[in-house]
Every structure is written in structure tokens, then in C-alpha cells.
Amino acid sequence: MHRTDETIDPLGLTNLRLIQPKKGFRFSLDPFLLCGFSGFEGAGVIYDLGCGNGVIPLLAADRSSAGRVVGIERQPQMAERARRSVALNGMNDRVVILEEDLRQIKRHCPGQEADLVLANPPFRVPGKGRISTHGERAAARHELAGGLEDFLQAARYLLKDGGRCCLIFLPERLVELLARMQACQLEPKRLRLVHHGVGEEARLVLVEGFKRGRPGLIVEPPMVLYTASKELSSEAATWYGLEDGSSSVLSPES
């Protein structure tokens, strides 16, 4: 099921397991934040753009009643790894992983069928920050093969009118994100900033847009990930997989 250069790890504090490389792109807290923010309400068909090793498709299938979850991944080795993780968790009947460049998504995906599209796009443009020498990490963090505009155009193509798109991104690019969402007819409706601790600057931003939605943005209370004692906050722990919100075993190094 997995190779010597891979590990099988618990996916957060859930019953799910994930195959990931020992050296390469390994999951972080970001997909748990995105899934917790989206909520999955009313989503019968869910797409994840740039699904990597399959974290978000697995979480979406586990936490929603969606009949179909589709992960799109351009890198062959990551798409293949995601398929094995889907099989490992017995989800082949609901989850499909497509090896596809999202810029060519019309070749194999019907338009206007998704109720919810999730995306954790690469945060940085080439030339901003150090580009990893490891191919998987580099493609996950920098816009080397498709940028923010490509993710939004793919989401607009996939979504039904009134469907939702939820993204996690950098606050420093928030103005660009909101402007590009409006240009793609994905009207921003809900926004939440994520802070590592009380009094710290926001590190991430979560945004929800509706295809052809009416203007009107709700800015939700900020989310603080860690307490003063360096444990995950109750809400963050719940999103990570602890149903009772207990965070005693979790810290920023987890």
C-alpha cells in the first residue's frame, strides 16, 4: 500500500489515514482550517483544486454527506498517492482523484455541477520568498504551474450558479484575492482572519464566495489558533478532529 520512502500517518486527530512522502510535501493545519470554515452544508458535489496527497477530499468525504468528491491534482506522483489513500480509507465509492492541470479542466470535468469548490492555492508568486528545491513543496507554495486567477477560473467553471467557493490564502494578498474573485463572478460573502495568537498579526485568511452572488461581505470574528500556553484553541482543536475541543495534547509543534 505504501513504499519505503513514504509513511502512513493519522490525518490529524481523525480516524482517517494518509499516505505521504517522508521527504516532500506533508500536510499542515491549513486544510483543516479550510474544511472547518466551509462547513460542507448542502454540498452534494464537492471539488478540491490542487488536492496534493488527498487531505481535503478525505476530510470532505468523512465530514459531509456529499455523494461525490473530486480532487484535481497536476503532479502525477501526488495524484497516485492520493488515490492510494482514498482506497486505504475505503472511500473509492465517493471520492475520485483526477490527474489533471486545472488550466485544462474542461477536458474531463463537466461545468456547473459543483455545489462547493475548495482551494488552497500556492500562496506566493515566483520571485517572492525562497523556492524549495523539492518539486512537490515548490509547486505547493509558489505559482509555478497556475496562479490564483487559474484557480478562480476553474472554480467558476465548475460551480453551479449560487454554488460556493472557499479558499485559504495570505492576508497580504487579500485585496488581490477579493478583486479577482469579483472579476470571476465569485462574489465574496464571508471572510475570517486567522491569527496564531492573541495580539499577533493575521497569518492566513479564509474567504467564501458565491457564484453570481449579490454584493455584501460579512467579516467574522477572528480565529486564534493557539492559547497562551501554546495549545490549540478549542475551536481549532475541533476543526483538527477533536470533537470535544480538547487541545491538551496539541501544540504549535504538533
Side-chain angles (χ1 to χ4, degrees):
M1 180 59 73
H2 73 290
R3 300 188 291 260
T4 56
D5 60 346
E6 297 173 330
T7 61
I8 298 179
D9 302 296
L11 188 48
L13 296 173
T14 72
N15 292 322
L16 300 170
R17 293 179 294 166
L18 184 78
I19 301 170
Q20 53 183 348
K22 292 180 179 178
K23 296 181 179 180
F25 186 72
R26 295 173 66 86
F27 75 86
S28 67
L29 191 59
D30 293 5
F32 295 89
L33 299 177
L34 181 58
C35 289
F37 177 74
S38 75
F40 304 120
E41 291 89 352
V45 177
I46 299 173
Y47 274 78
D48 175 33
L49 302 178
C51 72
N53 295 323
V55 175
I56 290 177
L58 292 175
L59 290 174
D62 184 59
R63 299 182 178 183
S64 78
S65 58
R68 186 164 181 254
V69 179
V70 182
I72 307 293
E73 175 53 49
R74 181 186 64 86
Q75 298 187 73
Q77 73 279 10
M78 297 185 82
E80 189 268 341
R81 201 179 291 131
R83 290 193 190 102
R84 286 188 281 127
S85 287
V86 170
L88 178 65
N89 289 280
M91 292 181 171
N92 281 329
D93 58 331
R94 295 175 60 210
V95 181
V96 176
I97 304 297
L98 296 179
E99 181 188 325
E100 183 63 86
D101 189 322
L102 60 84
R103 294 169 293 185
Q104 305 295 327
I105 204 168
K106 294 181 181 180
R107 295 189 301 185
H108 297 117
C109 298
Q112 299 189 52
E113 76 155 352
D115 302 294
L116 173 63
V117 172
L118 303 170
N120 182 5
F123 288 160
R124 303 190 183 279
V125 298
K128 294 289 186 179
R130 183 178 66 85
I131 297 179
S132 173
T133 56
H134 193 285
E136 289 184 9
R137 291 198 190 108
R141 296 170 180 169
H142 281 80
E143 296 177 347
L144 303 180
L148 178 58
E149 179 74 17
D150 299 300
F151 277 79
L152 294 175
Q153 290 287 358
R156 179 174 68 172
Y157 169 76
L158 291 168
L159 283 170
K160 302 173 182 176
D161 285 352
R164 298 186 293 134
C165 175
C166 293
L167 303 96
I168 185 167
F169 212 53
L170 290 181
E172 66 193 61
R173 296 183 67 185
L174 177 57
V175 173
E176 175 191 0
L177 172 61
L178 297 180
R180 288 182 181 271
M181 287 179 71
Q182 285 190 314
C184 289
Q185 299 180 307
L186 300 172
E187 185 64 32
K189 299 291 292 182
R190 190 164 60 101
L191 182 152
R192 192 171 189 188
L193 292 167
V194 180
H195 305 252
H196 270 215
V198 174
E200 296 186 24
E201 294 183 357
R203 299 285 190 92
L204 297 165
V205 63
L206 295 156
V207 181
E208 177 185 68
F210 281 69
K211 184 177 177 181
R212 305 187 194 278
R214 294 180 180 179
L217 176 66
I218 296 173
V219 179
E220 297 183 341
M223 181 176 194
V224 178
L225 293 180
Y226 297 104
T227 67
S229 57
K230 305 301 182 183
E231 297 173 347
L232 274 182
S233 66
S234 177
E235 184 178 24
T238 298
W239 286 7
Y240 197 60
L242 283 174
E243 293 184 1
D244 63 0
S246 172
S247 59
S248 60
V249 298
L250 299 174
S251 69
E253 289 74 34
S254 295

